[in-house]
Amino acid sequence: MLNKVLSSCLCLIYLIQPIRSFYIPGVAPLDFEKGDNVDVKAVKMTSSKTQLPYDYYELPIHCKPSDGVQYKSENLGEVLRGDRIVNTNFRVEMDVNVPCRILCKDIVLTKEQSAIVSKRIEQKYYVHLLVDNLPSATKLQNVETQETLYEHGYRLGVRTKDSNDVFLNNHLILRLHYHKESENGYRVVGFEVEPKSISHSRIKIDDEVSCTIESGVDTMKINAEQETKVTTTYEVEWVPSDTRWASRWDTYLAMSDVQIHWFSIINSVIVIFFLAGIVAMIIVKTLRRDIARYNQEDLDEGIEETGWKLVHGDVFRPPMAKNFLSALIGSGIQLLLMLFIVIVFAALGMLSPSSRGALITAACFLYVFMGLIAGYFSGRIYKTMRGTNWKRTAILTATLYPSVVCGVGLFLNFFIWGKRSSGAVPFTTMLAILSMWLGISFPLVYIGFYFAYRQLPYEHPVRTNQIPKQIPEQQWYMHPVISTLIAGVLPFGAMFIELFFIFTAIWENQYYYLFGFLFLVFIIIIIACSQISIVITYFQLCGEDYHWWWRSFIASGGCAFYIFAYSIFYFYSKLDITEFVPILLYFGYTLVICFTFWILTGTIGFIASYTFVVQIYSAVKID
């Protein structure tokens, strides 16, 4: 058996190599001719220190176009991400270099405005621009390894550590890369921004649009205690490139250390499959001996039954709070199917980072339409548990998880509104989400529950006694808290490396694109949760404790506790958040993530344990 497990692991490692997440940046590349206008749009300003995105025109140094501000129509995912794509004053023409051009001339910042700009620079805000759906990036070089790195967007400014002076990056070098598909066909394949701080006195205005930068070292200092005069400028450099349009996102999606990621994933796969194989061997060997002993026809009638067979008359006794358990299981199935479909489509490249907001939008709509399946399985489980108030349970299934998520989101949204951040969900979007929930998901859950409750319950192999059996004193390691902590280690060990990349993408404004790895980890988590839940349930029944319904759900969901503990470690070791609202946002959203993961893994564990219990009691002869 061990050789088979080892062979399976080696085969899996071999097969992992071709699993690479690819992407489809778009189905219709945009072709330009020489001299054509190339739109430069702004997305937002972000900071990992505050976790509060702001609109590009929130700062007065970004002057508005003379023909008016025009915001791009956005999808649900872009709105929830805080993206506010808007036109700018940049004037760029295809393959036309511009030495110096004025963006905003002679802006006089008041004392209050200077203080705001200075604060944003101290908070390490980055400005994000967009050209042909390609985000801007700042090219850096590691001094020790000489490795080329890229930062998303460009820094608004810098603050010196010694004197605490604040300098604004008021001059931008837009370095655009193009690839020629034909004699007159140009395509944008790269967008780099090199920010510089240049004193207002060094900028000589030639006419209304052009300028000259004098040599020197004077920089644009922002004094928060007084008025400041600012002129912002830019220059355009076009660089020919051999990179084809279909590969232009490779630069942005290669910002993490892939070797470390590969090593960590393979290590997790090997450990989890070895542990799962060992656990499976223990369970199969022990159960085979027990079932063979219980099924002996010549078993001495004077020998008293012990272990898990002794509670056959109580093992399917309905649990307490069966309506809440049914609602949680229905929500877990809804989340499980939604995540599985989203990860599969993302791994196939249909929900890549280049499709802005597509991932969140797809997840929201899939969750809504999966309400029918959630209601059906919740209704079947509730009928099996001999529940009678099906209408109330159907409503609970449709509202329990969404109400918690929406309640926390609405509470945090008030604080984001107070900060006037673009991350605040607009009132119209809130109405749209509410309409999706109450107009689509709620009826689908109710319909699924109605038809499921009219069907026969799941059949159990043994009857339930009228009088419940007394439960003996349990071993110390079977205490609910201890067993939950033990059960959560295995799934967390399978995912904590991937969790680091996910947290980095969420809280440090990075791109997450390794959906092939994520799909593999998702499968491993399902296997790990199923295995550990079966083990906990088996030992619990061997201890003649038949209250396994809730225990199988809570124990396998113990991984959520470790995720929250890891989030605390990540907060103190990786992030530089000091203000109250960002801290509240971080832990508020993290609690929602942990609650979601608890329901997801708990449902997986319950389904595995329920199937296991039905199978083992079907295999023995009950007198």
Side-chain angles (χ1 to χ4, degrees):
M1 181 67 183
L2 186 60
N3 292 332
K4 292 182 178 179
V5 174
L6 181 59
S7 301
S8 301
C9 293
L10 293 175
C11 292
L12 181 63
I13 295 172
Y14 175 77
L15 292 174
I16 283 177
Q17 296 297 329
I19 300 178
R20 297 180 182 272
S21 56
F22 59 94
Y23 54 89
I24 304 174
V27 294
L30 188 60
D31 290 324
F32 298 89
E33 293 184 359
K34 185 178 179 66
D36 283 352
N37 181 59
V38 179
D39 290 332
V40 179
K41 299 182 181 296
V43 183
K44 59 184 175 181
M45 299 186 298
T46 62
S47 169
S48 59
K49 189 173 183 178
T50 67
Q51 302 298 326
L52 292 168
Y54 282 98
D55 187 280
Y56 177 74
Y57 290 116
E58 188 262 348
L59 294 180
I61 58 171
H62 298 145
C63 54
K64 298 179 180 180
S66 57
D67 55 350
V69 176
Q70 300 173 1
Y71 285 91
K72 171 184 171 291
S73 180
E74 296 165 328
N75 57 42
L76 179 61
E78 288 177 310
V79 175
L80 294 178
R81 280 169 42 91
D83 292 351
R84 300 294 183 267
I85 301 177
V86 64
N87 59 330
T88 63
N89 260 339
F90 291 99
R91 296 294 177 263
V92 177
E93 297 173 345
M94 174 56 69
D95 200 17
V96 177
N97 293 332
V98 177
C100 182
R101 183 170 289 180
I102 299 172
L103 185 65
C104 301
K105 182 172 62 175
D106 296 335
I107 302 172
V108 179
L109 302 178
T110 63
K111 181 179 178 181
E112 292 77 13
Q113 291 174 333
S114 298
I116 293 174
V117 174
S118 176
K119 183 179 180 181
R120 295 286 181 265
I121 295 174
E122 291 178 1
Q123 292 172 334
K124 301 179 180 179
Y125 266 87
Y126 285 75
V127 181
H128 299 273
L129 301 178
L130 204 64
V131 170
D132 189 25
N133 198 36
L134 202 61
S136 60
T138 303
K139 188 175 181 179
L140 303 174
Q141 192 173 34
N142 191 316
V143 178
E144 297 179 355
T145 63
Q146 302 300 316
E147 182 184 3
T148 300
L149 305 173
Y150 290 89
E151 286 184 334
H152 299 299
Y154 68 89
R155 299 193 181 194
L156 181 64
V158 293
R159 176 186 177 184
T160 58
K161 295 181 179 180
D162 299 332
S163 59
N164 287 329
D165 291 332
V166 176
F167 300 94
L168 173 69
N169 286 328
N170 60 326
H171 181 76
L172 305 178
I173 300 177
L174 307 182
R175 192 169 289 110
L176 294 132
H177 299 254
Y178 68 86
H179 180 80
K180 294 188 69 173
E181 293 290 334
S182 61
E183 184 65 27
N184 296 321
Y186 295 77
R187 292 179 181 177
V188 179
V189 295
F191 182 21
E192 299 175 10
V193 177
E194 182 181 342
K196 292 184 177 182
S197 180
I198 297 176
S199 173
H200 183 271
S201 59
R202 291 174 52 199
I203 302 175
K204 301 302 179 183
I205 300 176
D206 300 333
D207 51 42
E208 290 297 324
V209 294
S210 60
C211 57
T212 304
I213 304 296
E214 295 184 349
S215 59
V217 294
D218 294 339
T219 52
M220 187 65 242
K221 183 178 179 180
I222 300 293
N223 193 335
E225 302 297 329
Q226 63 184 24
E227 292 185 350
T228 308
K229 191 174 183 180
V230 177
T231 295
T232 56
T233 57
Y234 67 98
E235 57 186 276
V236 181
E237 294 182 7
W238 286 97
V239 181
S241 173
D242 294 330
T243 303
R244 299 188 65 86
W245 185 86
S247 305
R248 64 179 188 164
W249 273 82
D250 290 354
T251 300
Y252 301 88
L253 302 184
M255 296 183 184
S256 28
D257 197 328
V258 179
Q259 296 298 327
I260 294 178
H261 195 96
W262 270 112
F263 176 78
S264 302
I265 290 296
I266 294 174
N267 182 64
S268 298
V269 169
I270 294 174
V271 171
I272 289 302
F273 270 85
F274 265 108
L275 291 177
I278 293 172
V279 169
M281 285 191 294
I282 293 174
I283 293 296
V284 170
K285 184 177 179 180
T286 307
L287 279 176
R288 185 180 299 171
R289 185 180 65 247
D290 289 347
I291 292 173
R293 181 165 58 89
Y294 289 149
N295 287 339
Q296 286 179 3
E297 295 181 356
D298 58 342
L299 183 64
D300 189 354
E301 296 181 357
I303 299 177
E304 183 180 359
E305 293 179 352
T306 58
W308 54 271
K309 187 182 178 184
L310 190 60
V311 294
H312 65 82
D314 299 278
V315 69
F316 292 108
R317 187 177 302 281
M320 300 292 292
K322 59 177 73 71
N323 55 342
F324 277 95
L325 182 58
S326 301
L328 288 172
I329 293 170
S331 298
I333 291 174
Q334 193 173 4
L335 288 169
L336 179 64
L337 293 175
M338 179 268 289
L339 286 173
F340 182 81
I341 296 174
V342 166
I343 293 174
V344 167
F345 276 90
L348 294 175
M350 299 179 185
L351 300 174
S352 69
S354 60
S355 303
R356 292 185 165 275
L359 187 69
I360 299 176
T361 304
C364 290
F365 278 97
L366 277 172
Y367 177 83
V368 166
F369 288 103
M370 288 298 165
L372 183 66
I373 302 176
Y376 178 81
F377 282 101
S378 180
R380 288 295 299 275
I381 291 293
Y382 187 67
K383 184 69 174 290
T384 303
M385 294 178 184
R386 306 173 196 171
T388 56
N389 197 342
W390 71 271
K391 294 182 180 179
R392 179 180 298 177
T393 307
I395 296 174
L396 187 64
T397 304
T399 58
L400 179 60
Y401 173 74
S403 60
V404 172
V405 175
C406 292
V408 174
L410 183 61
F411 173 75
L412 297 176
N413 206 47
F414 284 119
F415 290 92
I416 302 175
W417 268 335
K419 290 291 186 176
R420 297 182 179 181
S421 168
S422 64
V425 180
F427 182 72
T428 53
T429 304
M430 294 174 61
L431 289 179
I433 295 175
L434 186 65
S435 300
M436 290 171 57
W437 174 22
L438 299 179
I440 302 177
S441 181
F442 194 104
L444 288 177
V445 172
Y446 198 87
I447 292 171
F449 204 102
Y450 171 76
F451 283 103
Y453 195 76
R454 295 185 62 183
Q455 295 187 9
L456 294 175
Y458 292 119
E459 185 177 353
H460 291 156
V462 293
R463 296 188 301 270
T464 302
N465 297 333
Q466 293 184 353
I467 301 175
K469 182 182 179 298
Q470 186 176 0
I471 300 174
E473 185 178 355
Q474 300 295 300
Q475 296 290 337
W476 63 270
Y477 55 82
M478 290 309 298
H479 189 277
V481 175
I482 297 177
S483 61
T484 300
L485 293 177
I486 295 174
V489 172
L490 191 61
F492 180 76
M495 64 169 293
F496 81 97
I497 295 296
E498 203 67 28
L499 190 66
F500 169 79
F501 287 91
I502 294 174
F503 269 50
T504 301
I506 295 175
W507 303 115
E508 298 188 42
N509 299 307
Q510 300 294 325
Y511 290 114
Y512 184 86
Y513 68 99
L514 299 172
F515 294 105
F517 294 127
L518 184 61
F519 177 75
L520 182 61
V521 171
F522 186 65
I523 298 300
I524 294 174
I525 290 174
I526 293 176
I527 297 173
C529 289
S530 301
Q531 292 279 352
I532 202 67
S533 180
I534 290 173
V535 172
I536 294 296
T537 301
Y538 175 73
F539 282 116
Q540 185 179 353
L541 294 177
C542 288
E544 301 179 15
D545 182 1
Y546 50 84
H547 296 308
W548 62 272
W549 300 81
W550 273 105
R551 180 76 69 85
S552 64
F553 187 95
I554 295 175
S556 58
C559 181
F561 169 78
Y562 290 97
I563 293 178
F564 186 75
Y566 178 80
S567 70
I568 298 175
F569 167 78
Y570 186 88
F571 177 83
Y572 284 104
S573 62
K574 298 294 182 181
L575 299 180
D576 185 23
I577 300 177
T578 55
E579 298 181 10
F580 170 73
V581 172
I583 293 175
L584 183 67
L585 293 178
Y586 178 83
F587 286 104
Y589 287 131
T590 300
L591 283 174
V592 172
I593 294 173
C594 293
F595 179 65
T596 302
F597 204 80
W598 177 70
I599 294 178
L600 176 67
T601 53
T603 301
I604 295 171
F606 173 83
I607 294 174
S609 293
Y610 181 80
T611 305
F612 170 76
V613 172
V614 171
Q615 291 297 320
I616 64 172
Y617 282 96
S618 300
V620 297
K621 298 176 182 178
I622 305 296
D623 296 330

